């Protein structure tokens, strides 16, 4: 049964039983607790938690999943992969264990026609009900095994829904391992379907696998996952996924690149499988917007790419491997997953650039690593030192994972503990410089907690008004709560109510004034969040004395707030137009929203050229000129995501979120301030674009009045340039181009005349050469020459004397410096002489050094008055060189 039929059989089975077919969510999840989508239930998490009531009680999906927790097992086992398709059926408070078990048994034994006596079941050790349901359906007791929490209790690995599970395992036969069921051998009795009985909510774990159960979910639900890869291997009688129609074409591509067949065993077999399997993961990750980076999900992608490249090199593949293998993935699976062919050009560009870069790193690192492995073997050591691994990682950018793999392949281990110690020490040194600042920040946080515990959160009223009556709740100075502040001092102030926006989401904090009831005047310099929901105002006391408990009027600088709001709305529009122009991967990775200007960081693999930037700027301004309404609304997190709102990775969002719509082209979760209509934000002028890291770009732009001022400055510069050229502004580029062409022609002619003059001077100098012992000598002080011209003249002169042994030494004064040049004939150089040796004593005389090698050298120094003496000394050295 081909994979397309396996998918359709699954979906048809469950849709015919009242399940809504839901598309796969992207591999980049909207859930900030997850790096990548790792299970079919990810997108349904709010339904399981009871935060949102779904429109349908049952669902079925085929979800793209990426997991790298078992990356080292890829190719070494038959069941592990870093990318897979998880076929699932879900119940949100509808059916529970009995129906889930019945559905699974019916589909496996009738839909896929698997032999009943080869199916083994595992249940959670305390789940009597699940065991009885399986026995009732016909599974004998001897093929049902109870396992502990590690095997049969499921969670996403982070706080959220969880519950006991029951797994269906298929016995692949004695050729795959020993008898005894899934409790004994996971290779022979391979898990194919996991039925999770979602009924609890878990808390934060201890990092060792244990976590607290916080209580029951609002409703009992079902989450199942049937692995397409593993089922395909069984139904197609393939040893592993690389032998199925999901990856066989890609494996064939690897064989063609390697120039040999896929072996049945050994380390080469592992390498073949790693390259093919990782190529699939790479293609899907890039298609969903992941780009290589130094951390986060970008590092997951980079690690996959580097592992694939390294294993390709182990197979003797030294030409590019990622582009052809990912292309085969697209060709094979693009009909099922249209995002692959839609992003084919992006995938090719990203993998090609990354492979070129890493190939350079790999070549250098591999040489050093091989040398270190050889030293270890020569010393009869079975361990590669942590220092070696750290030097490769820190100095040469060679991933420690590859060092560990290469050492293992050579029969060595790596001192990973020592490597970790060195890495920790490096991080400690990097942080040492900021210890005092960190200690102050910790003291300040303690002060904030004290005030927050005493007074609660700040009531922010700034969305609707720019002024508010408030009470001074507390003052913080140097991390300590203080009762008051005198005129001229700067302190941090906390109010019970504030119209001042606290810096967040890239938007700068508000400034303005606060005046107390007794006349004390405060200048608000900045506003930042101290704790969640707790605003801290940095103020300077300009008049009077400030005391805790005073009543005050807080007033935001309205003009600045409006300018910031323009920039924030423009940032949303810029984000939308970048994704429209460059692709969906061009997502925000950071921003600065300030009065009249913005800075926007986004993912992209190459520079955005001037033509693209101009097109993006036009799109942004056209969109704003259409005057779209800027609408703010509130909803649950799940409702906002279902409505297509963009959530920024790394930002924290609550259960209820604020959404900002701009027209019908931008919808983002956002807590910032905005203008009411698009036309209020423009114009926008992009003034710069540059790289800020691997696959990260930054655009800087001006907005509103600042953009107009920039346009005005450009206009005045153009008018001034036009006046200098004596033409109209619209003709200035052509006029300047003509002037530059004329100038270039004149410079070429001048250079030709200068070259002819130098050759004439060389003729005269050669004619004046003196005959000395061993050859001929020219020493002369010349005038009117630049450094390069002096060297050229010496070289031309020596060329005219090349029939025998000759030395030419010339000197001149230029820009307050004494310059010397020496040239020797090729015959003399072939005899062992060096021009630089002739100038060394002379260079010291003028207070400088010597440069150049072979038959031409130069020197220079600040002692212009010693030039004649230096020429005399150089002539003596030249005579010695000729007399040898």
């Amino acid at each position: 049964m081909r994979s397309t039929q396996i998918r359709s059989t699954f979906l048809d089975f469950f849709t015919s039983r009242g399940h809504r077919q839901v598309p796969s969510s992207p591999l980049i999840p909207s859930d900030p607790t997850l790096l990548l989508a790792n299970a079919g239930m990810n997108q349904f998490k709010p339904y399981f938690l009871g935060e949102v009531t779904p429109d349908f009680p049952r669902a079925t999906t085929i979800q793209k999943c990426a997991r790298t927790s078992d990356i080292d097992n890829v190719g070494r086992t038959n069941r592990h992969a870093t990318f897979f398709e998880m076929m699932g059926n879900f119940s949100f408070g509808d059916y529970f264990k009995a129906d889930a078990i019945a559905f699974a048994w019916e589909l496996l034994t009738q839909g896929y026609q698997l032999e009943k006596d080869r199916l083994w079941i595992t249940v959670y050790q305390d789940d009597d009900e699940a065991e009885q349901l399986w026995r009732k359906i016909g599974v004998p007791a001897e093929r049902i095994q109870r396992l502990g929490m590690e095997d049969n209790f499921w969670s996403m690995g982070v706080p959220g829904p969880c519950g006991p599970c029951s797994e269906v395992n298929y016995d692949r036969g004695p050729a795959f391992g020993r008898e005894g069921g899934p409790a004994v051998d996971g290779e022979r009795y391979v898990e194919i379907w996991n039925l999770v009985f979602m009924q609890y909510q878990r808390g934060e774990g201890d990092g060792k696998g244990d976590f607290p159960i916080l209580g029951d979910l609002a409703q009992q639900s079902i989450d199942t996952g049937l692995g397409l890869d593993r089922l395909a291997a069984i139904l197609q009688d393939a040893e592993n996924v690389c032998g199925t129609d999901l990856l066989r074409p890609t494996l064939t591509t690897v064989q063609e690149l390697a120039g040999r067949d896929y072996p049945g065993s050994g380390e080469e077999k592992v390498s073949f499988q790693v390259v093919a399997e990782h190529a699939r993961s790479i293609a899907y990750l890039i298609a969903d917007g992941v780009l290589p980076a130094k951390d986060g999900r970008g590092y997951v992608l980079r690690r996959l790419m580097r592992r694939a490249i390294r294993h390709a090199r182990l197979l003797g593949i030294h030409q590019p491997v990622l582009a052809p293998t990912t292309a085969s993935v697209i060709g094979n699976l693009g009909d099922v997953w249209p995002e692959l062919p839609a992003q084919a050009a992006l995938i090719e560009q990203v993998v090609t650039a990354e492979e070129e870069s890493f190939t350079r790193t790999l070549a250098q690192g591999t040489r050093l690593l091989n040398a270190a492995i050889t030293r270890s073997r020569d010393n009869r050591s079975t361990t590669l030192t942590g220092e070696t691994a750290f030097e490769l990682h820190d100095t040469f950018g060679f991933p420690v994972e590859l060092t560990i793999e290469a050492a293992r392949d050579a029969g060595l281990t790596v001192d990973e503990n020592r490597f970790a110690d060195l890495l920790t020490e490096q991080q400690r040194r990097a942080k040492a410089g900021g210890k005092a600042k960190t200690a102050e920040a910790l003291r300040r946080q303690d002060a904030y907690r004290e005030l927050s515990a005493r007074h609660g959160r700040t009531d922010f009223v700034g969305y609707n008004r720019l002024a508010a009556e408030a009470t001074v709740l507390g003052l913080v100075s140097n991390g300590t709560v203080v009762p008051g502040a005198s005129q001229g001092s700067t302190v941090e102030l906390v109010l019970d109510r504030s119209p001042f926006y606290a810096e967040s989401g890239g938007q700068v904090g508000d400034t303005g004034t606060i005046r107390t009831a007794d006349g004390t005047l405060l200048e608000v310099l900045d506003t930042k969040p101290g704790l969640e929901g707790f605003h801290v105002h940095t103020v300077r006391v300009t008049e009077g004395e400030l005391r805790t408990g005073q009543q005050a009027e807080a007033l935001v600088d309205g003009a600045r707030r409006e300018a910031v709001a323009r920039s924030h709305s423009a940032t949303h529009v810029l984000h939308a137009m970048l994704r429209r122009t460059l692709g969906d991967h061009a997502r925000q990775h950071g921003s600065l929203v300030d009065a009249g200007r913005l800075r926007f960081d986004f993912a992209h693999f190459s520079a955005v050229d001037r033509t693209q930037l101009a097109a993006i700027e036009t799109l942004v301004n056209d969109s704003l000129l259409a005057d779209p309404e800027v609408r703010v609304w509130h909803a649950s997190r799940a409702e906002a995501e279902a409505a297509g709102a963009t959530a920024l990775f790394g930002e924290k969002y609550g259960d209820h979120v604020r959404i900002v719509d701009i027209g019908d082209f931008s919808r983002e979760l956002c807590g910032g301030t905005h203008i009411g209509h698009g036309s209020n934000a423009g114009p926008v002028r992009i003034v710069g674009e540059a790289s800020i890291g691997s696959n990260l770009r930054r655009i800087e732009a001006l907005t509103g009045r600042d953009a107009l001022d920039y346009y005005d400055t450009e206009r005045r510069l153009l008018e001034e340039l036009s006046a200098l050229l004596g033409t109209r502004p619209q003709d200035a580029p052509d006029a300047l181009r003509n002037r530059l062409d004329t100038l270039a022609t004149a410079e070429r002619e001048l250079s030709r005349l200068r070259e002819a003059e130098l050759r004439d001077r060389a003729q005269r100098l050669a004619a004046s050469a003196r005959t000395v012992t061993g050859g001929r000598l020219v020493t002369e002080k010349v005038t009117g020459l630049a450094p390069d011209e002096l060297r050229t003249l010496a070289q031309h002169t020596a060329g005219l004397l090349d029939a025998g042994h000759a030395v030419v030494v010339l000197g001149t004064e230029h820009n307050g410096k004494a310059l010397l040049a020496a040239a020797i004939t090729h015959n003399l150089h072939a005899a062992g002489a060096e021009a630089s040796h002739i100038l060394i004593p002379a260079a010291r005389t003028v207070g400088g050094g010597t440069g150049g090698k072979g038959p031409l050298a130069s020197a220079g120094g600040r002692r212009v008055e010693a030039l004649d003496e230096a020429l005399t000394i150089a002539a003596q050295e030249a005579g010695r060189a000729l007399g040898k």
Side-chain angles (χ1 to χ4, degrees):
M1 186 181 288
R2 292 184 59 80
S3 56
T4 51
Q5 188 180 350
I6 297 174
R7 294 189 192 93
S8 63
T9 298
F10 186 90
L11 294 175
D12 290 346
F13 179 88
F14 282 105
T15 53
S16 69
R17 287 156 179 78
H19 291 66
R20 170 81 64 84
Q21 183 177 335
V22 178
S24 171
S25 64
L27 286 170
I28 299 179
S30 56
D31 186 343
T33 66
L34 291 173
L35 198 64
L36 293 164
N38 63 2
M41 61 78 60
N42 290 166
Q43 63 176 312
F44 302 124
K45 181 178 174 183
Y47 300 160
F48 289 120
L49 289 173
E51 297 172 349
V52 176
T53 301
D55 296 333
F56 41 87
R58 303 177 176 196
T60 183
T61 65
I62 299 179
Q63 173 65 46
K64 297 177 290 186
C65 295
R67 293 183 196 169
T68 55
S69 54
D70 294 314
I71 190 172
D72 292 330
N73 289 324
V74 173
R76 299 188 179 277
T77 71
N78 291 320
R79 67 185 192 277
H80 288 104
T82 58
F83 173 89
F84 52 92
E85 296 177 44
M86 186 65 81
M87 304 185 294
N89 60 289
F90 307 89
S91 163
F92 312 116
D94 186 13
Y95 61 83
F96 200 48
K97 292 183 184 179
D99 286 333
I101 288 171
F103 285 152
W105 187 256
E106 180 183 357
L107 178 57
L108 289 175
T109 59
Q110 297 181 33
Y112 294 122
Q113 299 181 6
L114 296 180
E115 306 96 313
K116 294 179 181 179
D117 59 358
R118 300 185 76 167
L119 295 177
W120 286 66
I121 309 299
T122 63
V123 298
Y124 183 53
Q125 58 191 9
D126 298 331
D127 196 344
D128 297 334
E129 180 187 6
E131 180 177 357
Q132 289 304 315
L133 287 168
W134 282 114
R135 292 182 67 176
K136 183 178 179 181
I137 213 167
V139 181
E142 61 269 20
R143 291 212 308 273
I144 302 176
Q145 297 181 326
R146 292 186 182 232
L147 299 176
M149 179 168 281
E150 182 178 350
D151 296 293
N152 276 82
F153 197 96
W154 190 91
S155 81
M156 293 189 299
V158 295
C162 64
C165 62
S166 180
E167 296 176 349
V168 183
N169 305 266
Y170 183 82
D171 180 3
R172 303 209 68 185
F176 287 83
R178 53 186 174 154
E179 293 183 359
V184 173
D185 194 324
E187 283 294 295
R188 171 172 172 173
Y189 301 89
V190 62
E191 174 208 337
I192 55 175
W193 203 342
N194 189 9
L195 313 179
V196 180
F197 310 129
M198 203 74 75
Q199 58 191 105
Y200 303 120
Q201 183 169 351
R202 64 159 284 186
E204 189 68 57
D206 61 1
K208 300 176 182 178
D210 292 330
F211 50 82
I213 300 297
L214 303 180
D216 294 335
L217 295 173
Q219 57 189 12
Q220 293 181 332
S221 298
I222 289 295
D223 157 32
T224 86
L226 173 59
L228 173 64
D229 293 49
R230 295 182 182 184
L231 183 58
I234 291 168
L235 294 178
Q236 296 173 19
D237 195 25
E239 182 183 23
N240 53 57
V241 66
C242 287
T244 70
D245 64 341
L246 293 164
L247 274 181
R248 193 184 301 114
T250 304
L251 184 64
T252 299
T253 300
V254 180
Q255 293 180 83
E256 291 170 352
L257 292 169
R260 59 184 182 278
D261 292 336
Y262 170 60
S265 61
E267 290 302 311
E268 280 198 354
K269 178 183 178 183
V270 173
S271 293
F272 270 103
Q273 291 183 207
V274 167
V275 177
E277 196 282 331
H278 285 10
R280 180 175 61 165
S281 300
I282 291 163
Y284 277 91
L285 285 167
I286 297 173
D288 273 5
V290 181
L291 293 176
K294 294 180 180 179
D295 52 21
R297 60 173 66 94
Y299 179 72
V300 172
L301 172 60
R302 175 163 283 167
R303 185 183 178 194
L304 288 167
M305 297 169 85
R306 290 182 169 186
R307 287 188 92 240
I309 295 166
R310 178 178 173 271
H311 278 277
R313 300 300 181 265
L314 292 176
L315 294 173
I317 303 172
H318 295 288
Q319 70 265 43
V321 68
L322 295 184
T325 52
T326 53
S328 74
V329 171
I330 297 168
N332 184 37
L333 299 169
D335 289 342
V336 179
W337 300 100
E339 58 268 38
L340 290 173
Q343 298 294 339
L346 172 66
I347 293 169
E348 181 181 11
Q349 288 174 310
V350 171
V351 300
T352 299
E354 187 71 13
E355 184 160 5
E356 288 174 353
S357 172
F358 185 57
T359 297
R360 293 189 292 270
T361 298
L362 193 63
Q364 183 179 28
T366 300
R367 286 195 298 271
L368 297 169
L369 180 57
N370 288 340
I373 289 173
T374 299
R375 286 196 302 272
S376 295
R377 285 172 167 169
D378 290 345
N379 295 331
R380 300 184 182 279
S381 173
T382 60
T383 303
L384 204 63
T385 67
E387 284 79 5
T388 298
F390 182 75
E391 181 185 11
L392 286 165
H393 162 80
D394 188 52
T395 306
F396 302 101
F398 198 80
V400 68
E401 299 90 355
L402 297 190
T403 300
I404 294 170
E405 284 191 18
R408 182 181 61 204
D409 294 343
L412 304 176
T413 61
V414 174
D415 188 346
E416 295 182 55
N417 291 331
R418 178 57 178 161
F419 172 83
D421 289 342
L422 291 169
L423 187 62
T424 301
E425 176 62 21
Q426 181 197 53
Q427 293 167 344
R428 188 196 64 76
R429 288 195 302 270
K431 294 176 181 177
K435 270 190 174 180
K437 191 178 292 184
T438 301
E440 181 184 342
L442 291 173
R443 289 197 305 272
R444 189 181 296 116
Q445 288 293 309
D446 288 340
Y448 296 159
R449 290 190 186 95
E450 178 184 337
L451 292 173
S452 179
R454 191 185 306 165
H455 302 292
R457 294 185 173 192
T458 304
D459 180 14
F460 175 61
V461 296
Y463 286 133
N464 303 316
R465 46 185 165 146
L466 299 179
E469 299 294 327
T471 302
V472 178
L473 298 181
L475 302 172
V476 177
S477 178
N478 296 321
T480 303
V481 177
V482 296
S486 59
Q487 184 172 320
S489 59
T490 299
V491 294
E492 294 178 316
L493 175 148
V494 176
L495 301 172
D496 64 335
R497 178 182 303 106
S498 175
F500 290 88
Y501 180 84
E503 178 182 319
S504 180
Q507 179 174 330
V508 297
D510 279 336
T511 61
T513 59
I514 298 175
R515 185 178 288 277
T516 66
D518 65 357
T520 299
L521 181 63
L522 313 174
E523 181 185 2
V524 180
L525 305 174
D526 197 6
T527 310
K528 294 181 180 293
L531 302 171
E532 186 176 349
F534 190 70
H535 291 202
V536 177
H537 311 77
T538 301
V539 301
R540 181 189 298 117
V541 184
T542 57
E543 295 178 20
E545 299 289 324
L546 178 62
R547 301 184 309 280
T548 300
Q550 287 178 312
Q551 298 300 304
E553 181 183 21
L555 182 64
V556 174
D557 181 339
R560 181 175 180 273
R561 162 74 81 83
E562 184 73 11
V564 172
R566 282 194 291 269
S567 293
H568 204 153
S569 297
T571 298
H572 282 218
V573 178
L574 174 62
H575 189 192
M577 297 309 139
L578 278 169
R579 291 171 66 184
R580 178 183 295 182
T581 304
L582 304 178
D584 196 54
H585 66 279
R587 292 174 177 264
Q588 179 174 337
H589 278 247
S591 67
L592 171 68
V593 178
D594 205 343
R597 69 187 184 98
L598 65 89
R599 189 177 69 215
F600 189 81
D601 303 336
F602 60 100
H604 194 51
F605 52 86
S606 64
V608 184
D609 62 39
R610 292 174 60 185
T611 302
Q612 287 177 310
L613 279 179
I616 291 165
E617 182 180 280
T618 298
L619 279 172
V620 170
N621 283 310
D622 285 349
S623 300
L624 294 173
L625 192 61
D627 200 27
E629 180 184 3
V630 179
R631 188 170 72 93
V632 176
W633 52 290
H634 297 80
S636 70
R637 175 75 182 276
E639 289 169 338
E641 291 171 359
T646 300
L648 304 183
F649 185 75
E651 290 289 329
K652 292 183 178 180
Y653 302 102
D655 294 336
H656 293 276
V657 294
R658 184 173 183 265
I659 305 103
V660 176
D661 288 353
I662 302 181
D664 60 359
F665 53 81
S666 173
R667 173 169 288 172
E668 295 192 19
L669 304 188
C670 180
T673 63
H674 290 265
I675 40 81
H677 285 81
S679 61
N680 297 341
V684 174
R685 181 71 164 99
I686 295 176
V687 295
E689 190 275 346
S691 170
I692 58 167
S694 178
N695 294 307
L696 284 178
R697 310 296 301 180
R698 171 172 291 170
I699 279 180
E700 297 188 61
L702 300 174
T703 61
R705 169 54 61 187
D706 290 77
L708 290 172
D709 289 344
Y710 191 88
Y711 282 122
D712 190 52
T713 299
E714 288 183 320
R715 178 184 57 78
R716 286 187 282 103
L717 287 172
L718 179 57
E719 288 175 349
E720 184 177 350
L721 178 62
S722 302
L724 290 172
L725 292 170
T727 188
R728 298 178 302 171
Q730 59 266 37
D731 297 329
D734 287 338
L736 180 58
R737 195 175 293 110
N738 291 335
R739 292 285 181 92
L740 291 175
D741 288 344
T742 302
L743 180 61
T745 301
E747 287 177 342
R748 286 194 296 270
E749 179 61 17
L750 183 61
S751 177
R752 187 187 65 78
L753 293 173
R754 190 65 170 160
E755 177 70 16
E757 180 187 351
L758 288 175
R759 290 192 179 279
D760 286 344
R761 294 181 73 170
Q763 292 279 1
R764 293 194 294 273
L765 287 171
S768 67
R770 294 177 288 128
T771 299
V772 297
T773 303
R776 307 186 71 189
L777 175 63
V778 175
T779 56
E780 188 82 25
K781 183 177 181 181
V782 295
T783 60
L785 297 180
D788 58 333
E789 293 175 330
L790 185 68
R791 290 190 296 272
T792 299
L793 180 58
Q795 197 171 28
H796 283 342
T797 304
L800 294 172
L801 301 170
D802 206 36
H805 288 188
V807 177
V808 178
V809 180
L810 305 178
T812 191
E813 298 177 22
H814 182 76
N815 291 340
K817 290 185 66 175
L819 302 180
L820 295 162
I824 62 178
T825 57
H826 287 88
N827 289 333
L828 183 59
H829 179 240
E834 292 286 335
S836 59
H837 296 168
I838 295 170
L839 290 183
I840 290 174
R844 286 198 292 264
T845 302
V846 295
T850 305
K853 59 182 180 180
L856 180 66
S858 59
R862 290 290 180 187
R863 297 188 61 217
V864 177
E865 69 280 4
L867 179 59
D868 291 333
E869 180 185 354
L871 279 170
T872 301
I873 292 172
Q876 294 169 353
E877 289 297 318
R880 279 191 280 271
L882 288 166
K884 286 183 179 179

